[in-house]
Amino acid sequence: MKGRISKIGSYAISSSIRDQHQQQPCISCTTFNILAPIYKRLSPKDQSLRESDNRAYWLGRNHRILDWLLYERSSIICLQEFWVGNEELVNLYEKRLGDAGYLSYKLGRTNNRGDGLLTAVHKDYFRVVNSRDLLFNDCGDRVAQLLHVELVPPYSQYDAHQEVLIVNTHLLFPHDSTLSIVRLQQVYKILQYVESYQKEVNLSPMPIILCGDWNGSKRGHVYKFLRSQGFVSSYDTAHRYTDSDAHKWVSHRNHRGNICAVDFIWLLNPNRYRKLLKTSWSEAVFGMFRYLLRRASLTAEDAFAFLKTDNDGDYITFMGFCETLRQLNLTGHCNGLTTKEIKDLWIQADIDGNGLLDYKEFQQRIWNETWSEQRDAEDGEAKGNQEQTVGFSVKNAVLFPPEVEKGMWPENYSLSDHARLTVVFSPIRMPCSQLVS
C-alpha cells in the first residue's frame, strides 16, 4: 500500500524539501474522516455492536491511521469524526502528533455527541496566529474550526508575513429531504464567520483553505454555492476535472452502501476574491428551489403555473409562493426556512415591489440561473494594476486508497468508510483582488 503513495511521496511526505526543478517549497494538506468508533458497525447482523465496545479494535485501527498520517507528514491535517469523548484516544493523537512536531486543536460537536474535529499544523511550516471555534447550534450539532496561520521560512519566501485561513468542518448528512436546506445554511454560516473574522482583525485577502467531509457531491447545492464564491476543488483542479466530472472519483461509502464524492479541500486565492458572500443567501436558496422544480420536469411555463396555485390572474401571490415552498418541502418543518428567510426571498423576487410576481420577475429571479455552474479560470480574478500578494497553485492531489480515483470502492479497505485526500500547494505571486463593500 505504501508503494502507491509514492506517487505523491516527494510532495506530501517530504514537502519540507524544496522542489529540485523549481527551487520552490511546498506545503501539503490532508483531510480525512476517520470514522469514530461509536459509529463503526462491527456486524451487519447486529447494528448495535460498535467498534467502541472493543478497545483492541479501535485502538489498533487508530494506530494504523496515525501511522499513515505521520508517514505522509502533511503540513496541515484535518480530521473529522474524531472521538473526542474518549480520553485515551485523544491522548494517543495528541502525543503522537505532538512528538512529530504538530500543534493540534480539537473541538467536540455540541450536545455531547461524542465525536468532533481535530486540526493539526506542523510547526516547521506554520505559526498559529489565532484559532476560533464555530458552533452551528442546529439540528445536526455540527461545528467548524478556523485556524489563522502564518507561514515560516523558507515557506514564506515571497512574503515575510504570508498568512492563510484554514477551516475544518463536517456538514450534516442529508438523512431525508427535510434536511436539504440545512447543509446550505451550514456552509453559509462558515463563509459568514470567515468574512466577519477577516473584518474583525482587518485582514487583507489571503488564501482560504476549506477542508472536510461536506456530505454532498459535485452535483449538490453546497458545491455550486462554493464555486459561485470563487472556491475551487483542489483535487479536481489537480486532475483537470470540470464541474461536470462528478463520476470520475469517489471518497466515501456511506451506511446505505452508496459510494459518492463528499470529501473536498477547497481553495480560494486572493486573486479570486469577490465580496465573499456576493452570491446572496436568497440566490443560493433560489438555486435549490429551481432544481426541485426542474427535477419534476417542469418547463418555465409549467413552473410559473405551479407557483400561481389556484390564482386565476397572470401572477404569483405571496400565499402561492409560500404554498409552493411547503410543497417542495422547504418549509413546514423544524429544519425548513424561517419566516424571515421566506420574506427575504419574496422581497428579492418581487423586483418592482408591488406585492405580486409576474412572469418576467419569475424568470429573472427564480427560473434563470443566478450563478454559473462552470466558472472559467479567469472569472473573478483581479484585473489591471493591482497590489501583488501570495496565493497557492495546486501542484498535486491524491486520494487513498487508489481505487477511489477510478470511482470504485475496495472491499479490503478497513481504515475508514472515507478515503484520505491529500493536496500539495505551491506558493505563487498573484495580483490581489479588492473586496467590495
Side-chain angles (χ1 to χ4, degrees):
M1 284 291 200
K2 287 187 178 179
R4 166 63 179 84
I5 211 71
S6 63
K7 174 183 176 182
I8 199 171
S10 61
Y11 301 107
I13 302 167
S14 304
S15 54
S16 61
I17 301 175
R18 288 171 178 261
D19 185 297
Q20 296 302 309
H21 300 290
Q22 298 183 9
Q23 287 295 301
Q24 191 174 52
C26 299
I27 67 165
S28 53
C29 179
T30 293
T31 187
F32 192 17
N33 181 323
I34 58 176
L35 181 54
I38 52 177
Y39 303 134
K40 182 173 172 58
R41 298 173 174 87
L42 294 182
S43 170
K45 296 180 180 179
D46 184 359
Q47 295 291 306
S48 65
L49 187 60
R50 301 298 171 97
E51 187 189 55
S52 52
D53 299 322
N54 190 312
R55 178 179 178 273
Y57 282 11
W58 63 255
L59 188 60
R61 183 170 67 90
N62 280 276
H63 267 297
R64 292 195 301 275
I65 289 171
L66 278 162
D67 288 343
W68 275 108
L69 293 173
L70 296 178
Y71 176 77
E72 207 168 71
R73 199 177 180 270
S74 284
S75 320
I76 305 163
I77 297 174
C78 293
L79 304 180
Q80 303 86 44
E81 288 199 24
F82 179 63
W83 195 13
V84 296
N86 185 286
E87 186 177 355
E88 183 178 5
L89 183 135
V90 171
N91 290 338
L92 169 69
Y93 274 81
E94 289 183 342
K95 183 178 190 313
R96 291 196 63 184
L97 289 172
D99 289 346
Y102 287 92
L103 298 170
S104 59
Y105 300 80
K106 66 181 186 296
L107 175 62
R109 289 166 63 189
T110 50
N111 289 320
N112 296 314
R113 286 296 190 109
D115 69 303
L117 307 170
L118 182 142
T119 303
V121 293
H122 203 285
K123 290 183 287 187
D124 286 353
Y125 303 87
F126 300 108
R127 179 182 72 85
V128 177
V129 178
N130 204 350
S131 65
R132 294 286 181 88
D133 296 336
L134 172 56
L135 311 180
F136 294 146
N137 293 315
D138 56 18
C139 65
D141 293 310
R142 300 294 172 167
V143 295
Q145 293 173 293
L146 170 67
L147 256 64
H148 176 190
V149 298
E150 183 178 273
L151 272 75
V152 299
Y155 308 100
S156 58
Q157 63 173 5
Y158 287 123
D159 185 345
H161 300 287
Q162 185 185 341
E163 297 170 291
V164 185
L165 294 178
I166 303 165
V167 175
N168 182 16
T169 194
H170 181 188
L171 299 189
L172 180 71
F173 183 86
H175 292 282
D176 59 62
S177 60
T178 65
L179 301 175
S180 60
I181 200 73
V182 177
R183 287 171 46 261
L184 195 58
Q185 289 170 327
Q186 289 172 341
V187 76
Y188 189 78
K189 286 180 182 179
I190 289 173
L191 298 190
Q192 278 187 316
Y193 192 83
V194 170
E195 184 183 58
S196 65
Y197 177 77
Q198 289 176 299
K199 290 179 179 177
E200 175 190 337
V201 296
N202 195 27
L203 296 180
S204 300
M206 63 183 61
I208 300 172
I209 299 173
L210 307 182
C211 302
D213 174 3
W214 301 85
N215 263 322
S217 73
K218 293 178 65 173
R219 298 183 178 94
H221 301 288
V222 167
Y223 181 93
K224 294 175 184 177
F225 183 66
L226 286 169
R227 291 288 285 119
S228 77
Q229 301 307 303
F231 286 90
V232 296
S233 162
S234 298
Y235 182 84
D236 292 292
T237 300
H239 293 267
R240 298 183 180 179
Y241 292 154
T242 66
D243 288 356
S244 61
D245 289 327
H247 61 288
K248 295 291 182 67
W249 58 278
V250 297
S251 68
H252 176 42
R253 180 169 66 179
N254 65 30
H255 60 282
R256 297 170 179 168
N258 302 321
I259 58 174
C260 43
V262 300
D263 300 273
F264 292 88
I265 295 177
W266 291 96
L267 171 66
L268 177 66
N269 263 323
N271 67 336
R272 292 180 61 84
Y273 266 64
R274 305 165 178 89
K275 181 175 183 293
L276 194 57
L277 297 180
K278 181 180 179 181
T279 300
S280 69
W281 166 249
S282 299
E283 289 176 336
V285 178
F286 279 137
M288 181 175 291
F289 191 105
R290 180 168 53 254
Y291 165 78
L292 293 170
L293 291 172
R294 290 181 175 177
R295 191 175 66 175
S297 300
L298 297 179
T299 64
E301 292 79 9
D302 292 338
F304 184 67
F306 179 57
L307 267 76
K308 284 170 52 179
T309 60
D310 295 331
N311 171 39
D312 293 331
D314 199 25
Y315 51 80
I316 300 165
T317 65
F318 180 67
M319 292 297 292
F321 181 72
C322 293
E323 175 59 19
T324 303
L325 290 174
R326 187 192 66 79
Q327 291 189 43
L328 293 175
N329 218 11
L330 294 176
T331 63
H333 49 84
C334 63
N335 302 317
L337 295 167
T338 66
T339 301
K340 182 180 184 305
E341 288 171 335
I342 296 170
K343 289 180 179 178
D344 288 344
L345 285 173
W346 178 257
I347 291 170
Q348 289 290 321
D350 183 14
I351 298 173
D352 60 14
N354 70 346
L356 301 171
L357 298 187
D358 59 28
Y359 186 68
K360 183 178 179 181
E361 289 172 317
F362 161 76
Q363 281 193 313
Q364 186 171 339
R365 282 289 192 260
I366 297 178
W367 190 253
N368 292 335
E369 298 285 348
T370 52
W371 60 40
S372 171
E373 295 184 7
Q374 295 287 340
R375 291 281 179 181
D376 295 328
E378 68 272 13
D379 182 30
E381 291 185 356
K383 295 177 175 61
N385 295 321
Q386 299 284 345
E387 179 183 348
Q388 291 290 304
T389 186
V390 178
F392 289 129
S393 66
V394 179
K395 191 157 191 166
N396 204 346
V398 67
L399 281 159
F400 184 85
E403 289 86 351
V404 302
E405 294 191 314
K406 300 176 182 178
M408 301 179 291
W409 192 265
E411 293 299 325
N412 62 347
Y413 176 66
S414 60
L415 275 188
S416 176
D417 57 355
H418 284 258
R420 184 175 70 253
L421 170 61
T422 296
V423 176
V424 179
F425 299 106
S426 178
I428 56 171
R429 282 198 175 278
M430 58 178 56
C432 178
S433 294
Q434 299 300 312
L435 284 176
V436 180
S437 301

